Amino acid sequence: MLSARAAAASQSHAASLWKRGGGDAGGGSGCTSCMEVRRRAASVAVRAAPPKRVEAVAMESAAETAHSDKEVALTDGAADEDSPPEPEEELPVTPWAFSVASGYTLLRDPHHNKGLAFSEKERDAHYLRGLLPPAVVSQELQVKKIMHDLRQYKVPLQRYVAMMDLQERNERLFYKLLIDNVEELLPVVYTPTVGEACQKYGSIFRRPQGLYVSLRDKGKVLEVLRNWPERNIQVIVVTDGERILGLGDLGCQGMGIPVGKLSLYTALGGVRPSACLPITIDVGTNNEKLLNDEFYIGIRQRRATGEEYHELMEEFMDAVKHIYGEKVLIQFEDFANHNAFDLLAKYSKSHLVFNDDIQGTASVVLAGLLSSLKVVGGTLAEHTYLFLGAGEAGTGIAELIALEISKQTNAPIEECRKKIWLVDSKGLIVNSRKDSLQPFKKSWAHEHEPLTTLLDAVESIKPTVLIGTSGVGRTFTKEVVEAMASFNERPIIFSLSNPTSHSECTAEEAYNWTQGRAVFASGSPFDPVEYNGKTYVPGQSNNAYIFPGFGLGVVISGATRVHEDMLLAASETLAEQATQENFDKGSIFPPFTNIRKISAQIAASVAAKAYELGLATRLPRPRDLEKYAESCMYTPIYRSYR
Ligand SMILES: O=C([O-])CC(=O)C(=O)O
Ligand SMILES: [Mg+2]
């Protein structure tokens, strides 16, 4: 947040622009400090406004400053000390004029709108009198009303659309609702409903919620990024839409995923909404259905590949660094295997990058395994692991398990990998297949006779842990699960593919086919299951437990790179949060209701690791990192604009 002086300075900048401005809202590159003005002073580029309204902005900014909490102070500090270098070239003068967010405009500004919660005094001060019905209500009552409305919708997609509308109308209320009702609303704004939303994104599209960078923008990506109205971005989630959850290529409509992930960054991890930037890279789609869909929102061509693809990605990555500096966390999300590993390997040398599907999923599953051990006994090294699916999630998890075993036993990583077996669409990954394997699978090719089915692999390897990351539903058949139950007292079975319809088996199947003995977790949520008079509450092994806290830890420490030890630290911290009470109910994860506390703990351990590794740049190191993380978290309580 700007200091009062800076706000006033910004305001005079706004005012002078107002004098200079030509009128209409529109695109075009924005002067970066004007972007600040737009956000900080709640200005909206619409039309020239009378000077007295400009004063109202200054008052509002001052009020916001007065109410600024640590969440804001942190970003201010960051902006002062660590502002990314200003671009060297001359910035174009924006043709925009700025009016202020008061009156009617204020009601349509989602960052500041409070609807009926504007007080009498605020209504007087901000030209709202008469624009709202007389009732003044609390934020709590607004939450109650919207939850009541949402529950009237029987179709999940209608709830999703209602939530997106709320986010566009009143951002703080959206986050308050999500935080206060996290268990109920996570499946609405996130998996599974977000999957259906992406499939139908063109039809339900109302307003853009992120930035679209398409092949047509080649050579102009910097300009595209400059059009985004925020300056101090801390986290970007970017997808190219090629592997959305387990649903495959959804092209440009994958945008629902970065939008959803970033709303969890804010709700679960406390990163300010204005510091989050959802991006979709549109290089076309190979999804014929979408190419023929009249409502499709992306470019209508088959996917660009090879040099053309990588040139656009490179231009994008360079532009991000140029505009936002080195400390913006770039989360790669739902890229296809054939790009995900290469992009991560390439850009982890030059950028602060994190692949959620490889690293985030690995970290949450490792946490799930560490707490499963408290239920089934043994050490990580004493178990045998079999995966169905050898893509980003499968190999990412496998590698993190091997790393943790190596850390615990001091054995070489190659030895530790031998405890872990993977099955892909062609069968068990074995040495004799090595030549034809994609590079990221090669380290999992062990000595064994070739086997083509999962059931054969289960019967031959006799794993204690079975993990599904195949993206294909119902592949853990009754025979497979019963085989697991025949040689394990407590088989560990994780069906991780998303959304729910792609889960390798349901929670009910896992409990029924093992007579309630399975230690089960899934990627998407399942309702509690009754079996033999006992209620089982299955845990959700979803990277949503990790990435919000992980990202917060990176941001508060000013880490410049992601290191695998930071992932291990996140896993260990999450594993410590599961209690005997959770185990008794059948879950190896704590409930999402505690997630903000858990995220602060994860952030603290990730930040501590970053300091230990010399990767943190925010100095001095706060003494109590958990308290510091908590104090930095965004809260959606309304501010007073008097
Ligand atoms: O989004 C989720 O629920 C988990 C995830 O990253 C994926 O399945 O790709
Ligand atoms: Mg993903």
Side-chain angles (χ1 to χ4, degrees):
M1 188 50 57
L2 298 182
S3 67
R5 217 180 60 208
S10 302
Q11 192 45 52
S12 72
H13 192 173
S16 66
L17 268 173
W18 166 67
K19 281 188 214 132
R20 177 164 26 125
D24 268 2
S29 303
C31 157
T32 47
S33 48
C34 292
M35 291 178 188
E36 276 305 296
V37 174
R38 264 186 288 162
R39 168 79 186 133
R40 305 297 179 199
S43 305
V44 180
V46 270
R47 60 191 156 82
K52 70 173 181 183
R53 297 207 168 189
V54 173
E55 268 166 41
V57 170
M59 284 165 58
E60 186 190 325
S61 299
E64 280 216 43
T65 307
H67 284 261
S68 64
D69 47 29
K70 195 68 171 295
E71 153 231 325
V72 179
L74 165 79
T75 12
D76 284 345
D80 291 339
E81 292 158 28
D82 307 328
S83 284
E86 287 294 329
E88 276 150 31
E89 71 267 40
E90 204 46 20
L91 289 165
V93 173
T94 167
W96 298 354
F98 293 95
S99 74
V100 299
S102 66
Y104 192 74
T105 317
L106 177 54
L107 294 181
R108 268 150 189 75
D109 172 1
H111 307 302
H112 296 83
N113 180 30
K114 302 201 249 179
L116 288 184
F118 279 114
S119 68
E120 298 285 355
K121 282 188 177 154
E122 287 170 333
R123 291 175 192 210
D124 280 335
H126 296 287
Y127 308 90
L128 295 170
R129 201 154 278 287
L131 299 183
L132 290 162
V136 176
V137 305
S138 66
Q139 197 178 18
E140 283 67 32
L141 193 71
Q142 289 180 310
V143 168
K144 184 175 171 191
K145 177 191 175 294
I146 296 185
M147 285 310 294
H148 175 267
D149 291 351
L150 280 177
R151 288 174 185 142
Q152 307 300 309
Y153 294 122
K154 295 289 168 258
V155 179
L157 195 60
Q158 289 175 328
R159 294 185 183 193
Y160 177 89
V161 171
M163 283 300 281
M164 292 305 108
D165 281 347
L166 177 61
Q167 193 173 17
E168 284 298 312
R169 197 168 69 238
N170 183 336
E171 187 176 85
R172 284 185 179 265
L173 190 54
F174 169 84
Y175 283 112
K176 176 100 173 96
L177 209 72
L178 191 48
I179 291 167
D180 290 357
N181 300 276
V182 65
E183 296 263 0
E184 186 172 346
L185 294 182
L186 216 51
V188 177
V189 299
Y190 193 57
T191 186
T193 311
V194 73
E196 189 188 354
C198 289
Q199 289 172 312
K200 299 177 181 160
Y201 211 69
S203 311
I204 62 170
F205 183 83
R206 284 158 149 74
R207 283 211 222 173
Q209 294 174 292
L211 205 56
Y212 294 86
V213 176
S214 89
L215 275 181
R216 294 189 197 141
D217 303 316
K218 233 173 169 182
K220 293 182 282 193
V221 175
L222 201 57
E223 280 174 51
V224 173
L225 289 191
R226 283 210 183 105
N227 286 343
W228 188 251
E230 306 293 345
R231 181 74 169 86
N232 287 318
I233 297 299
Q234 293 170 328
V235 185
I236 288 173
V237 176
V238 59
T239 187
D240 72 355
E242 191 167 4
R243 195 238 73 195
I244 294 298
L245 307 174
L247 301 170
D249 184 355
L250 298 184
C252 191
Q253 302 197 161
M255 180 56 107
I257 294 292
V259 168
K261 293 272 174 186
L262 283 165
S263 64
L264 302 198
Y265 258 105
T266 297
L268 278 46
V271 178
R272 281 177 303 120
S274 61
C276 296
L277 172 52
I279 299 183
T280 293
I281 308 277
D282 184 359
V283 295
T285 178
N286 296 339
N287 184 327
E288 289 299 329
K289 200 167 157 218
L290 289 179
L291 287 173
N292 294 318
D293 178 351
E294 62 177 326
F295 298 132
Y296 181 57
I297 58 168
I299 52 175
R300 257 168 233 277
Q301 66 162 72
R302 296 186 72 77
R303 276 187 180 274
T305 55
E307 218 169 288
E308 199 184 5
Y309 175 87
H310 286 288
E311 275 172 14
L312 183 65
M313 281 307 296
E314 195 154 331
E315 188 184 340
F316 166 70
M317 295 299 285
D318 286 350
V320 166
K321 202 165 173 178
H322 188 84
I323 292 199
Y324 301 117
E326 303 220 64
K327 284 182 234 160
V328 60
L329 175 64
I330 304 171
Q331 174 164 317
F332 291 125
E333 192 71 51
D334 291 8
F335 283 76
N337 292 331
H338 58 97
N339 287 320
F341 292 98
D342 292 348
L343 290 173
L344 183 62
K346 176 172 177 188
Y347 291 107
S348 55
K349 296 190 189 88
S350 54
H351 290 68
L352 178 60
V353 289
F354 168 72
N355 184 304
D356 189 36
D357 305 296
I358 301 173
Q359 299 170 304
T361 302
S363 186
V364 72
V365 174
L366 177 59
L369 288 171
L370 293 173
S371 38
S372 298
L373 298 183
K374 295 182 194 153
V375 179
V376 304
T379 65
L380 217 49
E382 285 161 0
H383 283 266
T384 305
Y385 307 83
L386 180 67
F387 285 76
L388 178 63
E392 292 154 67
T395 59
I397 301 164
E399 185 66 12
L400 205 64
I401 296 172
L403 274 167
E404 180 74 13
I405 295 177
S406 174
K407 191 177 136 196
Q408 288 181 5
T409 60
N410 284 326
I413 184 95
E414 295 74 23
E415 281 308 305
C416 303
R417 289 192 186 119
K418 291 189 179 147
K419 308 281 311 169
I420 304 169
W421 298 83
L422 279 75
V423 171
D424 67 6
S425 58
K426 299 196 175 63
L428 189 65
I429 296 184
V430 291
N431 255 334
S432 54
R433 289 180 54 194
K434 210 160 186 170
D435 291 344
S436 59
L437 287 173
Q438 289 154 287
F440 56 89
K441 295 183 184 174
K442 285 191 196 292
S443 40
W444 305 103
H446 309 318
E447 209 48 67
H448 199 284
E449 58 167 324
L451 296 172
T452 49
T453 71
L454 175 65
L455 184 59
D456 286 346
V458 167
E459 282 171 345
S460 171
I461 306 243
K462 300 212 173 354
T464 53
V465 180
L466 179 65
I467 299 180
T469 58
S470 61
V472 187
R474 301 297 179 274
T475 36
F476 288 175
T477 58
K478 189 163 189 269
E479 291 72 30
V480 165
V481 174
E482 283 179 350
M484 285 295 291
S486 70
F487 47 79
N488 290 301
E489 180 49 38
R490 301 294 311 266
I492 298 174
I493 299 177
F494 291 175
S495 297
L496 299 181
S497 292
N498 298 313
T500 320
S501 55
H502 289 241
S503 189
E504 282 77 7
C505 68
T506 65
E508 194 169 10
E509 287 166 344
Y511 295 123
N512 282 346
W513 295 337
T514 61
Q515 302 80 46
R517 287 185 285 127
V519 175
F520 177 79
S522 56
S524 295
F526 278 106
D527 287 336
V529 173
E530 290 278 334
Y531 179 80
N532 240 354
K534 182 173 170 190
T535 304
Y536 295 81
V537 184
Q540 192 183 342
S541 184
N542 190 293
N543 47 35
Y545 272 112
I546 293 289
F547 68 80
F550 188 87
L552 181 66
V554 167
V555 167
I556 63 169
S557 61
T560 50
R561 293 287 181 274
V562 166
H563 189 283
E564 58 210 15
D565 285 355
M566 289 154 70
L567 298 169
L568 295 178
S571 303
E572 288 162 13
T573 304
L574 176 58
E576 282 159 19
Q577 306 312 310
T579 61
Q580 190 57 46
E581 193 192 339
N582 306 140
F583 300 148
D584 291 345
K585 287 187 185 151
S587 178
I588 45 167
F589 289 97
F592 269 109
T593 36
N594 300 339
I595 188 67
R596 279 172 72 94
K597 178 93 191 132
I598 295 169
S599 291
Q601 286 165 338
I602 292 175
S605 60
V606 168
K609 193 51 84 176
Y611 281 103
E612 196 184 310
L613 294 166
L615 293 171
T617 59
R618 191 175 302 284
L619 297 171
R621 176 196 192 280
R623 226 171 311 143
D624 186 336
L625 280 167
E626 190 180 328
K627 271 214 179 82
Y628 182 65
E630 268 174 0
S631 72
C632 292
M633 288 170 87
Y634 164 88
T635 54
I637 307 298
Y638 286 143
R639 291 171 178 206
S640 167
Y641 302 141
R642 272 179 291 131

